[in-house]
């Protein structure tokens, strides 16, 4: 099964559901553009920042397609609107469906499904829910790091509010798009898309643990040089070797 077929099946449903969703997209969704000028400007400003080192995302036709789908989503789902980072999610999905027959429709509906999976991690959606999720996963990470890397655990505990908030928004809410390279992000999403939604928070914790353990020497060194910059150094991490991370995480879920 091709990647596009697998993602479509996992995120859109069976053939009957897929057909109905495509019909709805073509008849109602694709022409929607009722958003404010300010929101449109934010989307347009974010587009060139999408995977900035990838040649594919600099193509005018690609950016134009992503823009249309983001505007249509913000118009239909006004409660969500547009949040910075949505451009990465839409681009990742469109990269998979770009050359398929119903590329825009399938990308849009898969985007809608991914947003439904990450919605608890949106601070503005439900603040109480967001903070519960944030604290829940951090407690699990805290215990794992204490056993394996106590120095790193101490650093993070001293900054736990800032660290857990930023990681939740910058890593989990975007499914690691800004942390993993464009060349490897599809491998990670192959894995995340197949995870039972109820286990996603646990998987986020496991992935974060793997990333931090590998980067621990760099993080602790940076902290020793400038303790106030510890969280920034973590947020600046660029992750490679995703397949190895997936292999290790898979053994623990």
């Amino acid at each position: 099964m091709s990647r596009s077929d697998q993602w479509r099946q996992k995120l859109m449903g069976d053939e009957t559901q897929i057909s109905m969703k495509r019909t709805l997209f073509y008849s109602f969704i694709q022409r929607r553009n009722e958003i404010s000028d300010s929101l449109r400007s934010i989307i347009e400003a974010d587009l060139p920042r999408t995977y900035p080192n990838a040649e594919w995302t600099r193509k005018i036709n690609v950016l134009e397609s992503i823009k249309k789908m983001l505007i249509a989503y913000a118009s239909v789902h006004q409660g969500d609107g547009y949040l910075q980072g949505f451009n990465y999610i839409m681009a990742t999905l469109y990269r998979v469906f770009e050359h398929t027959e119903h590329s825009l429709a399938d990308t849009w509906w898969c985007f809608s499904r991914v947003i439904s999976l990450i919605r608890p991690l949106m601070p503005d959606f439900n603040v109480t829910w967001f903070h519960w999720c944030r604290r829940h996963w951090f407690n699990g990470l805290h215990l794992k790091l204490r056993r394996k890397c106590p120095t790193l655990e101490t650093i993070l505990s001293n900054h736990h509010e800032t660290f857990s908030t930023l990681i939740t928004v910058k890593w989990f809410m975007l499914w690691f798009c800004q942390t993993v390279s464009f060349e490897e992000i599809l491998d990670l999403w192959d894995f995340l898309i197949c995870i039972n939604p109820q286990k996603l928070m646990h998987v986020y914790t496991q992935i974060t643990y793997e990333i931090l353990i590998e980067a621990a020497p760099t993080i602790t060194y940076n902290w020793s040089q400038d303790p106030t910059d510890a969280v920034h150094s973590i947020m600046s991490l660029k992750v490679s070797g995703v397949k190895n991370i997936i292999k290790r995480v898979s053994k623990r879920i």
Side-chain angles (χ1 to χ4, degrees):
M1 183 184 293
S2 69
R3 173 176 275 146
S4 59
D5 287 338
Q6 182 176 6
W7 287 27
R8 189 183 297 112
Q9 182 184 88
K10 292 291 185 179
L11 297 174
M12 291 180 68
D14 59 30
E15 290 301 321
T16 300
Q17 293 171 313
I18 290 171
S19 178
M20 291 174 60
K21 288 175 178 177
R22 286 171 176 168
T23 299
L24 184 58
F25 178 84
Y26 293 128
S27 62
F28 173 70
I29 294 169
Q30 68 174 343
R31 289 182 292 276
R32 294 289 299 273
N33 62 0
E34 303 89 6
I35 64 172
S36 67
D37 290 340
S38 60
L39 189 56
R40 190 183 303 270
S41 296
I42 292 172
I43 292 173
E44 292 174 346
D46 275 355
L47 285 174
R49 304 169 186 153
T50 310
Y51 293 115
N53 298 321
E55 184 177 345
W56 177 76
T57 55
R58 294 196 292 271
K59 296 178 180 178
I60 297 299
N61 61 320
V62 168
L63 291 177
E64 206 46 46
S65 294
I66 294 171
K67 174 183 171 181
K68 288 178 180 177
M69 289 184 285
L70 288 170
I71 289 174
Y73 183 85
S75 182
V76 173
H77 294 279
Q78 296 185 12
D80 292 335
Y82 172 80
L83 296 178
Q84 290 186 312
F86 277 11
N87 50 316
Y88 276 86
I89 298 172
M90 190 70 84
T92 305
L93 292 161
Y94 187 54
R95 183 70 180 90
V96 170
F97 293 109
E98 180 187 13
H99 299 298
T100 61
E101 182 180 0
H102 301 281
S103 59
L104 298 185
D106 292 353
T107 298
W108 194 91
W109 279 108
C110 287
F111 177 85
S112 298
R113 176 55 180 157
V114 171
I115 296 303
S116 75
L117 293 172
I118 64 171
R119 190 170 280 114
L121 308 178
M122 296 180 186
D124 294 338
F125 175 69
N126 185 314
V127 175
T128 302
W129 197 355
F130 171 78
H131 286 301
W132 183 89
C133 290
R134 174 179 65 81
R135 293 180 181 123
H136 177 71
W137 78 259
F138 182 76
N139 288 338
L141 179 68
H142 169 79
L143 294 175
K144 289 177 68 64
L145 287 176
R146 179 185 291 176
R147 291 190 295 267
K148 181 72 174 182
C149 195
T151 302
L152 179 58
E153 185 273 329
T154 300
I155 295 171
L156 296 183
S157 293
N158 289 337
H159 302 277
H160 70 277
E161 287 291 325
T162 301
F163 168 77
S164 60
T165 299
L166 287 175
I167 290 292
T168 301
V169 173
K170 297 292 187 180
W171 287 15
F172 303 166
M173 199 185 86
L174 302 185
W175 272 10
F176 301 90
C177 282
Q178 293 180 335
T179 308
V180 175
S181 70
F182 183 64
E183 291 74 22
E184 291 192 89
I185 193 64
L186 298 184
D187 293 324
L188 179 58
W189 277 41
D190 284 339
F191 176 62
L192 291 175
I193 284 169
C194 293
I195 295 295
N196 184 318
Q198 295 180 345
K199 294 183 177 181
L200 277 171
M201 287 302 296
H202 175 64
V203 170
Y204 299 155
T205 304
Q206 299 295 331
I207 294 173
T208 302
Y209 173 76
E210 292 294 338
I211 292 172
L212 293 179
I213 287 298
E214 186 170 330
T218 300
I219 296 169
T220 52
Y221 174 78
N222 290 340
W223 174 77
S224 68
Q225 300 300 306
D226 183 3
T228 63
D229 201 37
V231 174
H232 177 73
S233 68
I234 295 172
M235 298 312 302
S236 301
L237 289 173
K238 297 301 178 183
V239 176
S240 60
V242 162
K243 289 184 179 179
N244 291 329
I245 292 175
I246 293 170
K247 188 180 298 184
R248 293 194 293 270
V249 171
S250 296
K251 295 177 180 179
R252 296 198 295 270
I253 61 174

